[in-house]
Every structure is written in structure tokens, then in C-alpha cells.
């Protein structure tokens, strides 16, 4: 009976792993898994590659804070402080920078502590809000121009 229960538990764990891998691939948001003890990137999806401008091969196994994508040291501190205080991060405004061409990607960064093979890790999700920010800036500019037109 215990062998049957063990096989079922293992099968369920395998199914959950496959489900998680599928969700990671399908997500439009950038998703990565980072090991806490050394900040090593363990896995990223295609959206993460696009947001950082780095292929998976240049990220996996390397410390994520050393990849050159963090634009502002203050954002790194805010991320670490939120994680230390709350055990998670929720929608922290963060600007990533492509290390090769300098392009900026505005994101809302969230992170949750998870365990991978018994090791403490972070599941990090970055929602790209670059287009939204650009539209907001255009709206503000339009409103300024309209206000100037009303003054004359």
C-alpha cells in the first residue's frame, strides 16, 4: 500500500512540475526562478529573455543581480527590503536595462519565496508596463498642449 501511495505521490509531483513548466512557457509576463543563497538564475521563460535582452544561456547559473539589467541601485535595495520585511515583493516599479543596447523596459516586479529541490528560491514575475507608461506620457503631453492652447 505504501509503494502505491509513493508512486501516486511521485506521479502527482511530476504532473505538477509539468503543469508549472507549461505555465512558465505560456506566460506573457517575464518569469524567472532565482536561488536565494547565491542569487543564481535557475530558469527563465521567453518573456524574461525579451525583458532583459539576454538569452537564457547567458543567465542560467549566473547571479541575477550581476547580469547588468538593474538600472537603479535604489530599486535593488527596495526589492531586498520588501523581501526581508514581508517575505515577498508586490508590484515594485522597476526599470530593467538591456545590457547590450541600453533599451529600458518598465516593469512591475513581484516575487514570492518557493522551494526548488528543498532549496529556498524566488519565483520572480515582471509585468512589462512600458507601453502603458508611454501612453500615459503621451496623454500628459497632450493635456499640457491643450492647456497651453487654452491660455492664449
Amino acid at each position: 500500500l505504501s509503494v502505491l501511495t509513493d508512486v501516486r505521490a511521485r506521479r502527482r509531483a511530476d504532473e505538477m512540475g509539468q503543469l508549472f513548466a507549461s505555465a512558465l512557457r505560456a506566460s506573457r509576463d517575464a518569469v524567472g526562478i532565482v536561488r536565494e543563497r547565491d542569487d543564481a538564475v535557475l530558469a527563465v521563460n521567453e518573456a524574461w529573455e525579451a525583458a532583459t535582452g539576454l538569452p537564457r544561456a547567458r543567465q542560467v547559473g549566473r547571479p541575477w543581480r550581476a547580469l547588468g539589467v538593474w538600472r537603479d541601485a535604489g530599486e535593488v535595495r527596495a526589492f531586498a527590503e520588501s523581501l526581508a520585511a514581508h517575505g515577498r515583493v508586490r508590484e515594485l516599479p522597476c526599470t530593467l536595462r538591456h545590457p547590450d543596447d541600453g533599451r529600458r523596459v518598465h516593469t512591475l516586479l513581484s516575487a514570492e519565496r518557493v522551494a526548488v529541490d528543498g532549496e529556498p528560491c524566488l519565483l520572480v514575475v515582471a509585468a512589462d508596463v512600458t507601453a502603458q507608461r508611454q501612453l500615459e506620457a503621451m496623454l500628459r503631453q497632450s493635456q499640457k498642449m491643450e492647456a497651453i492652447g487654452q491660455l492664449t
Side-chain angles (χ1 to χ4, degrees):
L1 183 62
S2 65
V3 173
L4 183 60
T5 302
D6 186 48
V7 169
R8 285 182 180 163
R10 183 177 300 262
R11 185 178 300 141
R12 176 129 172 91
D14 288 345
E15 289 171 356
M16 292 304 291
Q18 291 173 6
L19 178 65
F20 179 77
S22 295
L24 182 73
R25 283 191 304 275
S27 178
R28 290 178 39 190
D29 287 334
V31 181
I33 301 173
V34 178
R35 189 171 48 221
E36 279 198 77
R37 76 173 150 85
D38 59 2
D39 281 340
V41 174
L42 300 181
V44 297
N45 67 354
E46 289 178 13
W48 187 276
E49 290 179 276
T52 62
L54 295 172
R56 181 177 288 114
R58 282 185 55 190
Q59 297 186 60
V60 173
R62 296 187 57 208
W64 76 318
R65 295 181 196 199
L67 293 174
V69 299
W70 289 89
R71 185 173 167 270
D72 183 345
E75 292 173 348
V76 176
R77 271 192 308 280
F79 180 89
E81 289 168 1
S82 179
L83 189 60
H86 308 291
R88 62 184 183 167
V89 178
R90 286 288 174 261
E91 297 187 341
L92 176 73
C94 181
T95 303
L96 302 178
R97 180 182 58 83
H98 283 216
D100 296 334
D101 64 11
R103 187 170 62 90
R104 295 179 182 161
V105 178
H106 299 283
T107 68
L108 294 177
L109 198 63
S110 297
E112 188 77 34
R113 283 194 164 111
V114 296
V116 176
D117 293 329
E119 280 208 70
C121 294
L122 297 174
L123 175 64
V124 182
V125 179
D128 186 343
V129 294
T130 304
Q132 178 183 340
R133 295 276 170 90
Q134 290 170 340
L135 287 172
E136 290 168 354
M138 289 170 54
L139 177 61
R140 282 191 300 275
Q141 181 64 25
S142 173
Q143 289 170 335
K144 285 179 189 176
M145 297 303 289
E146 184 178 324
I148 288 172
Q150 291 176 358
L151 292 176
T152 58

